């Protein structure tokens, strides 16, 4: 899975000097403070709680679809991608679970309605059509996950949750780019590689 | 598989997209719309004030990591008003182990994979990204306080760049209608208090009314009466020329209105309004087609928040198009660039007046450096187009710095280079502090591999514009 990880992730996790500082207008009214203006660890607002739930639902679906697709897919790159989703999101999900437990946020443990519909559609598709349908659903899911993570980064108040969002976002954008590239290969579109160099042939 | 089955399949795939769209999409309700504050003003203010030292320290740390912020003025070059020296040298710091030459020799892929793009080339975060909003430099705050007793000081953040890296204040004003007068600012900041005395006899009644409106404060996102404000007292608001001081810029900054979610909004450095008469597209992203459109629109969305919903709550100003908007636009359209005595009528250097180095700079600009392909001299160094410089070829997107998520800039309009020495910092978000920085930036982005002599010549040339 190393192929799927962007470089220098460690660098992207903010050092304490670069801790998240939100707009206090969005703090939960009952927030306990560690010091004035700084919420105590694991204090959450509505946004943190919603984020944890939606991110967990997304992560759960990633793993489930990944397992499904890694066996059902026919194209090698799709299989490989699916396996990477299982690995990366299993890690991310357990980290999120830790943070949610610490903040006493219950997380979903079954697919949400949206993902159940996708699952049904994927079950019906076969062969290359399956590969394409899976990759397309992955593009949408990663687009949404990127919005969600960016949202938590500015709207939440649980600093650890926000750092988690900041550290996960580059990975999700990287997955998105990969999904776009694989989908364009499958469908014969030109490469979408947004970061391709001028010099690359 | 039978062809029929295949068709059925592809229908299924499409159907899945359709059924998805019809489903209740589980994304948060305040991704696009601004949430209402959840707390009363007093407790928000107390928390904001408590956070402020950390916010400022965090931003200073980031700025110091990225830039050399020291005061190194050119001994012989001032801005057009003659009151402030232009800063020299490259201020963006290089990562360890590379030089500007070795960097320019690497491919974009290599720079990205080795994480070697100087941080100062990357998007510059707002001082407090999660809140955003307009932030004024101290001199503007002081002058408006003195003249109008209006408070532009925020309790949650201060302006972040040192004064010597910002434009001269107050800047001179040049009118297309009175070139013979030169600077008509009298060295003062135009305000609602003094504009009539200063401009009486120089401008028309229509222009005068336009100017009055441009100087009249209206409630804005952070400057209003609601608990959403970031100023201590209920505020009368902000005037257009609070940022575009004397129709130039004081480097007040904001976040782009054109992007959501909040964390991905890029910083916006105030543009100068000089030479607006020759510009066909307005706004770095919106590409509005007239000064009128820009003027009419800006106030209804609380200046650069792209949010008419939230703005309405604070008291929106809807200037009347045929009367008020037209007059405001006509006033803006008579603001000239500062004189550039070495340029001929077609925007080319006069060899009799320019130095050898400046002439060399022009040759590089139009030739090897390729600058003139977008900054066309004959059309005020504009091409009235937007271009995607694709800086993201050089770094991995999605990392965040001070709560701002770096996403690709996408197409941005070409800025004029007339009067360019008067308007630091540079680029749409002010991420570059000097003209020498812009040369290194474009050298890398365009891959033109300029020599040090050519780079120096380009800077010398741009100082003549």
């Amino acid at each position: 899975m190393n192929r799927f990880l962007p470089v220098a992730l460690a660098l992207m996790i903010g050092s304490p000097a670069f801790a998240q500082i939100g707009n206090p207008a969005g703090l939960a009214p009952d927030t306990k403070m560690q010091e004035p203006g700084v919420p105590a660890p694991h204090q959450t607002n509505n946004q943190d709680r919603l984020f944890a739930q939606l991110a967990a639902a997304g992560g759960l679906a990633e793993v489930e679809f990944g397992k499904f697709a890694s066996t059902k897919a026919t194209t090698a790159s799709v299989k490989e991608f699916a396996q990477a989703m299982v690995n990366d999101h299993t890690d991310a999900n357990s980290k999120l679970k830790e943070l949610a437990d610490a903040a006493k946020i219950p997380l979903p443990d079954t697919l949400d309605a949206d993902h159940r519909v996708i699952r049904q559609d994927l079950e019906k598709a076969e062969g290359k059509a399956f590969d394409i349908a899976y990759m397309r659903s992955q593009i949408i899911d990663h687009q949404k996950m990127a919005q969600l993570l960016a949202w938590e980064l500015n709207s939440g108040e649980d600093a650890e949750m926000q750092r988690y969002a900041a550290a996960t976002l580059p990975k999700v954008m990287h997955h998105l780019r990969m999904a776009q590239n694989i989908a364009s290969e499958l469908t014969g579109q030109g490469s979408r590689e947004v970061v391709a160099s001028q010099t690359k042939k | 598989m039978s062809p029929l089955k295949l068709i059925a399949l592809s229908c299924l795939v499409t159907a899945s997209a359709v059924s998805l769209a019809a489903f209740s999409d589980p994304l948060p309700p305040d991704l696009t719309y601004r949430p209402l504050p959840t707390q009363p003003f007093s407790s928000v203010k107390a928390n904001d004030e408590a956070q402020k030292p950390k916010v400022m320290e965090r931003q200073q740390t980031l700025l110091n990591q990225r830039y050399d912020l020291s005061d190194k003025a050119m001994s012989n070059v001032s801005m057009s008003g003659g009151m402030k020296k232009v800063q020299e040298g490259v201020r963006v710091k290089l990562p360890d182990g590379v030089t500007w030459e070795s960097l320019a020799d690497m491919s974009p892929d290599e720079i990205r994979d080795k994480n070697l793009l100087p941080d100062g080339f990357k998007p510059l975060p707002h001082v407090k990204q999660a809140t955003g909003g307009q932030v004024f430099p101290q001199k503007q705050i002081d002058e408006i306080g003195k003249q109008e007793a209006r408070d532009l000081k925020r309790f949650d953040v201060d302006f972040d760049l040192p004064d010597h890296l910002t434009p001269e204040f107050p800047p001179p004003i040049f009118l297309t209608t009175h070139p013979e007068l030169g600077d008509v600012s009298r060295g003062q900041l135009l305000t609602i208090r003094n504009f009539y005395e200063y401009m009486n006899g120089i401008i028309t009644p229509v222009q005068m009314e336009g100017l009055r409106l441009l100087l009249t404060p209206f409630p804005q996102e952070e400057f209003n009466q609601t608990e959403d404000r970031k100023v201590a007292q209920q505020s009368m608001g902000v005037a257009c020329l609070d940022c575009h001081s004397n129709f130039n810029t004081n480097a007040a900054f904001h976040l782009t209105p054109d992007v959501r979610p909040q964390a991905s909004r890029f910083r916006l450095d105030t543009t100068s309004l000089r030479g607006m008469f020759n510009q066909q597209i307005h706004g770095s992203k919106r590409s509005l087609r007239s000064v009128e459109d820009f003027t009419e629109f800006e106030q209804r969305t609380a200046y650069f928040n792209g949010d008419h919903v939230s703005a309405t709550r604070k008291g929106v100003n809807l200037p009347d198009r045929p009367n008020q908007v037209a007059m405001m636009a006509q006033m803006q359209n008579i603001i000239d660039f500062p004189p550039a005595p070495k340029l001929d009528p077609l925007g080319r250097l006069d060899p009799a007046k320019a130095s050898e180095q400046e002439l060399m700079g022009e040759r590089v600009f139009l030739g090897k450096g390729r600058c003139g392909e977008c900054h066309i001299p004959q059309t005020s160094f504009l091409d009235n187009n937007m271009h995607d410089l694709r800086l993201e070829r050089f770094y991995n997107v999605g990392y965040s710095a001070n709560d701002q998520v770096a996403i690709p800039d996408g197409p941005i309009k070409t800025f004029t280079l007339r009067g360019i020495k008067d308007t630091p910092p540079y680029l749409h978000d002010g991420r570059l502090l000097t003209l020498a920085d812009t040369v290194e930036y474009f050298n890398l982005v365009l891959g033109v591999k300029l020599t040090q002599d050519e780079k120096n010549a380009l800077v010398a040339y741009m100082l003549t514009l």
Side-chain angles (χ1 to χ4, degrees), chain A residues 7 11 18-25 27 35-37 47 113-114 121 144 147 150-151 153-154 166 195 197-198, chain B residues 16 23 25-26 30 38 48 50-51 54 58 109 112 115 128 130-131 230 261-263 392-393 396 400 402-403 405:
Chain A
V7 279
L11 289 178
F18 288 76
Q20 276 68 30
I21 307 179
N23 181 352
L27 293 178
E35 55 184 280
Q47 280 83 347
D114 263 18
D121 290 340
K144 282 160 68 173
Q147 301 311 99
W151 173 74
L153 202 59
N154 271 201
V195 294
S197 78
Q198 310 159 300
Chain B
S16 80
F23 235 81
D25 210 9
D30 57 342
T38 50
D48 260 324
Q51 290 175 351
K54 283 200 196 68
R58 180 179 76 158
D109 283 347
R112 184 189 62 211
N115 204 12
K128 196 171 187 181
T131 307
K230 294 297 181 190
Q262 179 80 6
E392 66 276 12
R393 287 171 290 150
N396 284 304
S400 50
N402 286 7
D403 301 337
V405 177

Side-chain angles (χ1 to χ4, degrees), chain B residues 409-424:
Chain B
D409 295 321
I412 301 277
K413 83 162 189 201
T414 307
F415 290 108
T416 180
L417 301 183
R418 279 285 279 113
I420 192 67
K421 68 177 176 175
D422 285 5
T423 59

Side-chain angles (χ1 to χ4, degrees), chain B residues 208-330:
Chain B
M208 189 71 88
E209 174 61 3
L211 181 56
R212 184 185 69 78
L213 289 163
L214 291 165
L215 290 166
T216 304
F218 292 100
Q220 301 300 338
E221 192 65 62
E222 296 77 28
F223 298 86
N224 61 73
Q225 68 290 352
T226 73
E227 55 291 270
D228 228 0
R229 69 180 190 266
K230 294 297 181 190
V231 59
Q233 294 299 313
Q234 286 87 342
S235 168
M236 304 270 292
V238 167
C240 301
L241 299 196
D242 285 348
C243 294
H244 303 284
S245 320
N246 284 3
F247 294 92
N248 193 37
T249 162
N250 55 23
F253 60 87
H254 203 314
L255 287 180
T256 180
D258 308 316
V259 176
R260 291 294 185 282
Q262 179 80 6
S264 307
R265 291 173 71 179
F266 54 78
R267 177 165 164 153
L268 267 186
D269 172 44
T270 302
T271 52
S272 173
L273 298 181
R274 294 168 171 174
M276 211 44 47
F277 49 83
N278 265 347
Q279 198 170 295
Q280 306 298 323
I281 61 175
H282 304 278
S284 50
K285 280 272 176 228
R286 276 171 291 171
S287 192
L288 298 179
R289 294 307 154 90
S290 68
V291 178
E292 285 81 359
D293 291 329
F294 200 101
T295 303
E296 183 178 9
F297 207 77
E298 222 26 83
Q299 290 188 333
R300 77 175 55 185
T301 59
Y303 295 135
F304 306 107
N305 276 311
D307 184 348
H308 60 298
V309 182
S310 186
T312 302
R313 192 170 156 254
K314 287 147 198 174
V316 79
N317 176 40
L318 304 173
D320 174 59
R321 178 93 182 193
N323 293 299
Q324 298 180 311
V325 172
M327 296 185 197
M328 291 162 84
Q330 289 185 42

Side-chain angles (χ1 to χ4, degrees), chain A residues 28-45:
Chain A
D30 58 352
T31 301
K32 292 190 193 65
M33 294 290 173
Q34 168 179 313
E35 55 184 280
V38 183
H42 309 304
Q43 289 290 294
T44 58
N45 62 4

Side-chain angles (χ1 to χ4, degrees), chain B residues 173-194:
Chain B
I173 303 172
F174 304 96
L175 300 179
T176 59
T177 47
H178 280 291
E180 80 291 359
L181 294 179
D183 170 20
V184 296
S185 74
R186 307 187 186 184
Q188 298 296 316
L189 181 71
L190 274 187
T191 66
I192 192 76
R193 299 268 177 227
N194 64 24

